[in-house]
Amino acid sequence: MLGNLDNEVIFKKAFTDKIVFKAFVRDILGIEIEVDRIETEKQFEPKVGYVDFKLDIFAESVDKRVVVEIQRVEYDHNFDRFLHYFMMVIAEQQKRSKEYAIPQTVYVIVVLTAPYRFNEKNGKAVQDEVLLLKLNPKTLAGEERELYGHQLVCLNPNHPDNDTPQQIRDWLDLVYQSIHSPERPSINAGNPGVMRAAELISFENLSPEERALAKNEAGRMTVRAIHRNERDLEIAKSMKAEGDSSERIARITGLSHEEIESL
């Protein structure tokens, strides 16, 4: 039986393992990376842009050329938040430099463990399994110029796509199966990185302390979900009373049109 990767304790146990971390980065980003230390709850001092934020999992390559940050998100699926984290990590790299050059390539991988709850600005629902943001500029003809290597990758196994490469699919299946079918997970036994992660988070390999911490985190997640739903409902009621459209209310609160219409 697998531990739930929607749980912060279980997620960090898996992805702070160096073998798993390196395999995950290789499969998702297509790069090989050697890391000395993998940190959790990483904070920069002094703060970047006077904003206090923590990075779930953070590592620099041994040669100091690459930074990889992995963020697990089960709530507030807001792309502004992802972009903020991405840009702050880049800004922190520039802060170390004597010139404007950014010495390290920054990769941020966001793993979402619940379906998207928001729409694009044009009202179209976002339902993509893999989203990639690059900062390279393009010509008017659409040709990309390789000036920056920085990338933000969003992964969401709740929106399967047949075009997702197999090596990425393997990890998305692991996340999804750990949440929805932990007792009989269907994962690719031919991917050694995935199998290493599965072994680490198997219930039998969790220490009594880790089980207790995971249980406490599960309780906190339940309470947060209740409070978020109550908050969203109050916001929706207020917006509806002010005459806002259901589309706008859905975009702001993440509630479904059915939930809004029932208010």
Side-chain angles (χ1 to χ4, degrees), residues 39-200:
E39 302 176 69
T40 62
E41 301 297 308
K42 172 72 173 181
Q43 290 181 288
F44 296 124
E45 292 294 341
K47 297 180 178 64
V48 181
Y50 302 100
V51 177
D52 187 15
F53 67 100
K54 297 179 181 179
L55 306 176
D56 284 353
I57 298 174
F58 178 90
E60 293 180 310
S61 63
V62 172
D63 60 12
K64 303 297 183 182
R65 295 181 58 190
V66 176
V67 168
V68 176
E69 194 261 323
I70 304 174
Q71 195 77 19
R72 181 195 65 91
V73 180
E74 91 282 355
Y75 67 95
D76 289 344
H77 302 338
N78 187 320
F79 276 113
D80 291 341
R81 177 188 175 193
F82 308 156
L83 182 62
H84 169 80
Y85 275 56
F86 184 39
M87 300 307 294
M88 289 303 97
V89 178
I90 293 175
E92 201 280 334
Q93 306 309 313
Q94 197 281 324
K95 184 179 65 178
R96 302 184 194 181
S97 178
K98 295 181 180 179
E99 301 177 352
Y100 284 106
I102 301 173
Q104 294 173 311
T105 301
V106 172
Y107 297 90
V108 172
I109 305 172
V110 178
V111 180
L112 298 111
T113 54
Y116 290 125
R117 298 177 56 197
F118 54 83
N119 301 327
E120 297 180 39
K121 293 186 182 296
N122 61 10
K124 183 180 179 181
V126 176
Q127 294 183 331
D128 300 289
E129 188 169 39
V130 180
L131 291 172
L132 175 63
L133 170 65
K134 294 184 177 181
L135 297 187
N136 286 327
K138 292 184 177 180
T139 67
L140 291 176
E143 297 178 357
E144 184 175 327
R145 300 300 183 223
E146 294 286 344
L147 298 184
Y148 315 106
H150 314 302
Q151 293 185 32
L152 167 65
V153 182
C154 294
L155 305 174
N156 193 324
N158 298 280
H159 303 288
D161 187 332
N162 292 332
D163 293 330
T164 298
Q166 184 60 52
Q167 70 273 17
I168 298 178
R169 156 76 46 237
D170 291 345
W171 292 96
L172 293 172
D173 284 345
L174 173 65
V175 173
Y176 189 88
Q177 293 291 318
S178 76
I179 298 170
H180 299 282
S181 186
E183 295 183 356
R184 287 183 289 274
S186 176
I187 57 178
N188 184 5
N191 188 318
V194 167
M195 295 308 295
R196 166 79 174 184
E199 179 182 359
L200 287 170

